[in-house]
Amino acid sequence: MTKTSSIPERVVRLFETWAEALRGMADDRSRIEYVRKRLPPLMADTDFFRAMLEKIAKGGPFPDIGRSGLFENEITLYTNPSSLFSLRIAAYEPDEYTIVHDHSSWGVFGALCGQLETIRYVRKDDGSRKGYAKVSENGRRLLAPGEVDSTLPLDRGIHSIGNPGREMILTASVYGKPVRRLFIQRFHPENDRVEKIFPPKLRKKMQARRALPLIGEVCGANRE
């Protein structure tokens, strides 16, 4: 849960306004269009983002950098109490890109500083074969500071984003309420594979369940 007392009151009020508007919208495209118009002005609030980075650099309890997310470079700054949306920032080193992936929710993202490249993909198969996915690149875009792009959930939003430049960049993103799915999918365009990627905490729990039968069986046999 976000400690709203650690966020400036003006930003808390802004997020409350967002939540009220998003709660009344019936589809993802309407939500995306709403946030696309409102994220750039927030991104221009350098005092807010500087204060958040200073807190992160000091290693205090908020923002919680130990919170397990799907991407190691991403830090959640705010989560709406009803999970309608979250605000996150991420740093990308030169030539650092995400895996080709989908999302479990709609999203709007952009560059706080530096140029951000977004690479879109389209899925060609019907998803009926386990572990198989045929995707092909479907366009690239460079975002200057303050510009935003968006993504839709699942197969409609397969993409990769990253830093094509020579200096570190910083991004901001807003993601909506996720569909009932506990993973994202990683796509491998080079060999037409797809795999599920679970959050670290959930992945460790799943591995522990799978490992339980090994104690006293495989592990015990190895000691004989």
Side-chain angles (χ1 to χ4, degrees), residues 28 88 103-107 151-154 174-179 181:
D28 287 341
R88 313 172 193 184
H103 280 279
S104 297
S105 68
W106 58 266
T151 186
L152 288 165
L154 309 179
V174 171
Y175 285 102
K177 190 171 185 176
V179 299
R181 191 182 73 165

PDB file of all heavy atoms in Angstrom, residues 28 88 103-107 151-154 174-179 181:
ATOM      1  N   ASP A  28     -11.120   0.383 -21.891  1.00  0.00           N
ATOM      2  CA  ASP A  28      -9.704   0.716 -21.741  1.00  0.00           C
ATOM      3  C   ASP A  28      -9.289   1.891 -22.617  1.00  0.00           C
ATOM      4  O   ASP A  28      -8.465   2.715 -22.206  1.00  0.00           O
ATOM      5  CB  ASP A  28      -8.841  -0.499 -22.071  1.00  0.00           C
ATOM      6  CG  ASP A  28      -8.906  -1.558 -20.984  1.00  0.00           C
ATOM      7  OD1 ASP A  28      -9.310  -1.221 -19.859  1.00  0.00           O
ATOM      8  OD2 ASP A  28      -8.547  -2.714 -21.258  1.00  0.00           O
ATOM      9  N   ARG A  88       4.523   4.437 -11.847  1.00  0.00           N
ATOM     10  CA  ARG A  88       5.838   3.831 -11.676  1.00  0.00           C
ATOM     11  C   ARG A  88       6.890   4.639 -12.427  1.00  0.00           C
ATOM     12  O   ARG A  88       6.577   5.325 -13.397  1.00  0.00           O
ATOM     13  CB  ARG A  88       5.824   2.387 -12.208  1.00  0.00           C
ATOM     14  CG  ARG A  88       4.637   1.587 -11.729  1.00  0.00           C
ATOM     15  CD  ARG A  88       4.555   0.247 -12.410  1.00  0.00           C
ATOM     16  NE  ARG A  88       3.259  -0.385 -12.185  1.00  0.00           N
ATOM     17  CZ  ARG A  88       2.926  -1.594 -12.600  1.00  0.00           C
ATOM     18  NH1 ARG A  88       3.792  -2.321 -13.291  1.00  0.00           N
ATOM     19  NH2 ARG A  88       1.726  -2.088 -12.350  1.00  0.00           N
ATOM     20  N   HIS A 103       1.241  -7.081 -21.403  1.00  0.00           N
ATOM     21  CA  HIS A 103       0.862  -6.618 -20.070  1.00  0.00           C
ATOM     22  C   HIS A 103      -0.504  -7.168 -19.714  1.00  0.00           C
ATOM     23  O   HIS A 103      -1.285  -7.564 -20.583  1.00  0.00           O
ATOM     24  CB  HIS A 103       0.825  -5.085 -20.010  1.00  0.00           C
ATOM     25  CG  HIS A 103       2.171  -4.451 -19.844  1.00  0.00           C
ATOM     26  ND1 HIS A 103       2.808  -4.351 -18.620  1.00  0.00           N
ATOM     27  CD2 HIS A 103       3.002  -3.886 -20.741  1.00  0.00           C
ATOM     28  CE1 HIS A 103       3.974  -3.752 -18.781  1.00  0.00           C
ATOM     29  NE2 HIS A 103       4.128  -3.458 -20.056  1.00  0.00           N
ATOM     30  N   SER A 104      -0.792  -7.166 -18.417  1.00  0.00           N
ATOM     31  CA  SER A 104      -2.101  -7.608 -17.941  1.00  0.00           C
ATOM     32  C   SER A 104      -3.063  -6.438 -17.781  1.00  0.00           C
ATOM     33  O   SER A 104      -4.140  -6.593 -17.223  1.00  0.00           O
ATOM     34  CB  SER A 104      -1.954  -8.346 -16.601  1.00  0.00           C
ATOM     35  OG  SER A 104      -1.185  -9.510 -16.774  1.00  0.00           O
ATOM     36  N   SER A 105      -2.667  -5.267 -18.254  1.00  0.00           N
ATOM     37  CA  SER A 105      -3.517  -4.085 -18.126  1.00  0.00           C
ATOM     38  C   SER A 105      -3.173  -3.087 -19.224  1.00  0.00           C
ATOM     39  O   SER A 105      -2.160  -3.222 -19.915  1.00  0.00           O
ATOM     40  CB  SER A 105      -3.308  -3.425 -16.761  1.00  0.00           C
ATOM     41  OG  SER A 105      -1.997  -2.863 -16.684  1.00  0.00           O
ATOM     42  N   TRP A 106      -4.013  -2.063 -19.353  1.00  0.00           N
ATOM     43  CA  TRP A 106      -3.675  -0.955 -20.233  1.00  0.00           C
ATOM     44  C   TRP A 106      -2.582  -0.123 -19.566  1.00  0.00           C
ATOM     45  O   TRP A 106      -2.362  -0.202 -18.353  1.00  0.00           O
ATOM     46  CB  TRP A 106      -4.901  -0.081 -20.509  1.00  0.00           C
ATOM     47  CG  TRP A 106      -5.542   0.506 -19.285  1.00  0.00           C
ATOM     48  CD1 TRP A 106      -6.586  -0.012 -18.567  1.00  0.00           C
ATOM     49  CD2 TRP A 106      -5.194   1.729 -18.615  1.00  0.00           C
ATOM     50  NE1 TRP A 106      -6.895   0.785 -17.491  1.00  0.00           N
ATOM     51  CE2 TRP A 106      -6.067   1.875 -17.504  1.00  0.00           C
ATOM     52  CE3 TRP A 106      -4.234   2.707 -18.852  1.00  0.00           C
ATOM     53  CZ2 TRP A 106      -5.995   2.972 -16.630  1.00  0.00           C
ATOM     54  CZ3 TRP A 106      -4.163   3.793 -17.982  1.00  0.00           C
ATOM     55  CH2 TRP A 106      -5.029   3.914 -16.892  1.00  0.00           C
ATOM     56  N   GLY A 107      -1.866   0.661 -20.366  1.00  0.00           N
ATOM     57  CA  GLY A 107      -0.806   1.484 -19.812  1.00  0.00           C
ATOM     58  C   GLY A 107      -0.505   2.691 -20.659  1.00  0.00           C
ATOM     59  O   GLY A 107      -0.748   2.696 -21.878  1.00  0.00           O
ATOM     60  N   THR A 151      -0.307   1.325 -24.339  1.00  0.00           N
ATOM     61  CA  THR A 151      -0.400  -0.092 -24.671  1.00  0.00           C
ATOM     62  C   THR A 151      -1.718  -0.637 -24.154  1.00  0.00           C
ATOM     63  O   THR A 151      -2.271  -0.142 -23.162  1.00  0.00           O
ATOM     64  CB  THR A 151       0.782  -0.877 -24.065  1.00  0.00           C
ATOM     65  OG1 THR A 151       0.738  -2.223 -24.528  1.00  0.00           O
ATOM     66  CG2 THR A 151       0.733  -0.864 -22.553  1.00  0.00           C
ATOM     67  N   LEU A 152      -2.202  -1.666 -24.818  1.00  0.00           N
ATOM     68  CA  LEU A 152      -3.416  -2.359 -24.418  1.00  0.00           C
ATOM     69  C   LEU A 152      -3.056  -3.691 -23.774  1.00  0.00           C
ATOM     70  O   LEU A 152      -1.924  -4.160 -23.909  1.00  0.00           O
ATOM     71  CB  LEU A 152      -4.313  -2.589 -25.637  1.00  0.00           C
ATOM     72  CG  LEU A 152      -5.005  -1.342 -26.206  1.00  0.00           C
ATOM     73  CD1 LEU A 152      -5.558  -1.615 -27.598  1.00  0.00           C
ATOM     74  CD2 LEU A 152      -6.132  -0.889 -25.272  1.00  0.00           C
ATOM     75  N   PRO A 153      -3.994  -4.319 -23.085  1.00  0.00           N
ATOM     76  CA  PRO A 153      -3.664  -5.585 -22.425  1.00  0.00           C
ATOM     77  C   PRO A 153      -3.476  -6.745 -23.411  1.00  0.00           C
ATOM     78  O   PRO A 153      -3.960  -6.708 -24.544  1.00  0.00           O
ATOM     79  CB  PRO A 153      -4.898  -5.851 -21.540  1.00  0.00           C
ATOM     80  CG  PRO A 153      -5.674  -4.589 -21.516  1.00  0.00           C
ATOM     81  CD  PRO A 153      -5.348  -3.861 -22.772  1.00  0.00           C
ATOM     82  N   LEU A 154      -2.732  -7.750 -22.946  1.00  0.00           N
ATOM     83  CA  LEU A 154      -2.593  -9.043 -23.605  1.00  0.00           C
ATOM     84  C   LEU A 154      -2.033  -8.899 -25.026  1.00  0.00           C
ATOM     85  O   LEU A 154      -1.146  -8.075 -25.250  1.00  0.00           O
ATOM     86  CB  LEU A 154      -3.935  -9.776 -23.567  1.00  0.00           C
ATOM     87  CG  LEU A 154      -4.592  -9.852 -22.164  1.00  0.00           C
ATOM     88  CD1 LEU A 154      -5.929 -10.574 -22.232  1.00  0.00           C
ATOM     89  CD2 LEU A 154      -3.672 -10.485 -21.162  1.00  0.00           C
ATOM     90  N   VAL A 174       1.929   4.844 -16.182  1.00  0.00           N
ATOM     91  CA  VAL A 174       0.697   4.598 -15.437  1.00  0.00           C
ATOM     92  C   VAL A 174       0.077   3.332 -16.005  1.00  0.00           C
ATOM     93  O   VAL A 174      -0.137   3.228 -17.215  1.00  0.00           O
ATOM     94  CB  VAL A 174      -0.290   5.775 -15.553  1.00  0.00           C
ATOM     95  CG1 VAL A 174      -1.651   5.406 -14.959  1.00  0.00           C
ATOM     96  CG2 VAL A 174       0.276   7.009 -14.864  1.00  0.00           C
ATOM     97  N   TYR A 175      -0.191   2.360 -15.138  1.00  0.00           N
ATOM     98  CA  TYR A 175      -0.836   1.119 -15.564  1.00  0.00           C
ATOM     99  C   TYR A 175      -2.159   0.955 -14.834  1.00  0.00           C
ATOM    100  O   TYR A 175      -2.280   1.284 -13.655  1.00  0.00           O
ATOM    101  CB  TYR A 175       0.073  -0.085 -15.306  1.00  0.00           C
ATOM    102  CG  TYR A 175       1.198  -0.163 -16.307  1.00  0.00           C
ATOM    103  CD1 TYR A 175       2.477   0.252 -15.958  1.00  0.00           C
ATOM    104  CD2 TYR A 175       0.968  -0.599 -17.601  1.00  0.00           C
ATOM    105  CE1 TYR A 175       3.510   0.214 -16.889  1.00  0.00           C
ATOM    106  CE2 TYR A 175       1.988  -0.640 -18.537  1.00  0.00           C
ATOM    107  CZ  TYR A 175       3.256  -0.233 -18.171  1.00  0.00           C
ATOM    108  OH  TYR A 175       4.265  -0.252 -19.089  1.00  0.00           O
ATOM    109  N   GLY A 176      -3.153   0.445 -15.557  1.00  0.00           N
ATOM    110  CA  GLY A 176      -4.490   0.307 -15.016  1.00  0.00           C
ATOM    111  C   GLY A 176      -4.682  -0.968 -14.221  1.00  0.00           C
ATOM    112  O   GLY A 176      -3.740  -1.716 -13.947  1.00  0.00           O
ATOM    113  N   LYS A 177      -5.924  -1.217 -13.863  1.00  0.00           N
ATOM    114  CA  LYS A 177      -6.274  -2.401 -13.091  1.00  0.00           C
ATOM    115  C   LYS A 177      -6.045  -3.645 -13.938  1.00  0.00           C
ATOM    116  O   LYS A 177      -6.561  -3.753 -15.042  1.00  0.00           O
ATOM    117  CB  LYS A 177      -7.743  -2.325 -12.655  1.00  0.00           C
ATOM    118  CG  LYS A 177      -8.137  -3.381 -11.655  1.00  0.00           C
ATOM    119  CD  LYS A 177      -9.526  -3.116 -11.110  1.00  0.00           C
ATOM    120  CE  LYS A 177      -9.890  -4.093 -10.005  1.00  0.00           C
ATOM    121  NZ  LYS A 177     -11.223  -3.782  -9.405  1.00  0.00           N
ATOM    122  N   PRO A 178      -5.258  -4.597 -13.450  1.00  0.00           N
ATOM    123  CA  PRO A 178      -4.931  -5.764 -14.268  1.00  0.00           C
ATOM    124  C   PRO A 178      -6.101  -6.727 -14.405  1.00  0.00           C
ATOM    125  O   PRO A 178      -6.989  -6.790 -13.552  1.00  0.00           O
ATOM    126  CB  PRO A 178      -3.778  -6.425 -13.489  1.00  0.00           C
ATOM    127  CG  PRO A 178      -3.974  -5.981 -12.081  1.00  0.00           C
ATOM    128  CD  PRO A 178      -4.568  -4.608 -12.153  1.00  0.00           C
ATOM    129  N   VAL A 179      -6.088  -7.454 -15.520  1.00  0.00           N
ATOM    130  CA  VAL A 179      -7.028  -8.553 -15.679  1.00  0.00           C
ATOM    131  C   VAL A 179      -6.615  -9.659 -14.708  1.00  0.00           C
ATOM    132  O   VAL A 179      -5.541  -9.614 -14.114  1.00  0.00           O
ATOM    133  CB  VAL A 179      -7.028  -9.088 -17.122  1.00  0.00           C
ATOM    134  CG1 VAL A 179      -7.454  -8.002 -18.096  1.00  0.00           C
ATOM    135  CG2 VAL A 179      -5.650  -9.635 -17.510  1.00  0.00           C
ATOM    136  N   ARG A 181      -4.926 -12.254 -14.173  1.00  0.00           N
ATOM    137  CA  ARG A 181      -3.834 -13.092 -14.657  1.00  0.00           C
ATOM    138  C   ARG A 181      -2.610 -12.743 -13.838  1.00  0.00           C
ATOM    139  O   ARG A 181      -2.310 -11.570 -13.649  1.00  0.00           O
ATOM    140  CB  ARG A 181      -3.595 -12.839 -16.149  1.00  0.00           C
ATOM    141  CG  ARG A 181      -2.679 -13.844 -16.800  1.00  0.00           C
ATOM    142  CD  ARG A 181      -2.433 -13.502 -18.268  1.00  0.00           C
ATOM    143  NE  ARG A 181      -1.562 -12.341 -18.409  1.00  0.00           N
ATOM    144  CZ  ARG A 181      -0.957 -11.991 -19.551  1.00  0.00           C
ATOM    145  NH1 ARG A 181      -1.172 -12.686 -20.647  1.00  0.00           N
ATOM    146  NH2 ARG A 181      -0.185 -10.929 -19.596  1.00  0.00           N
TER     147      ARG A 181
END
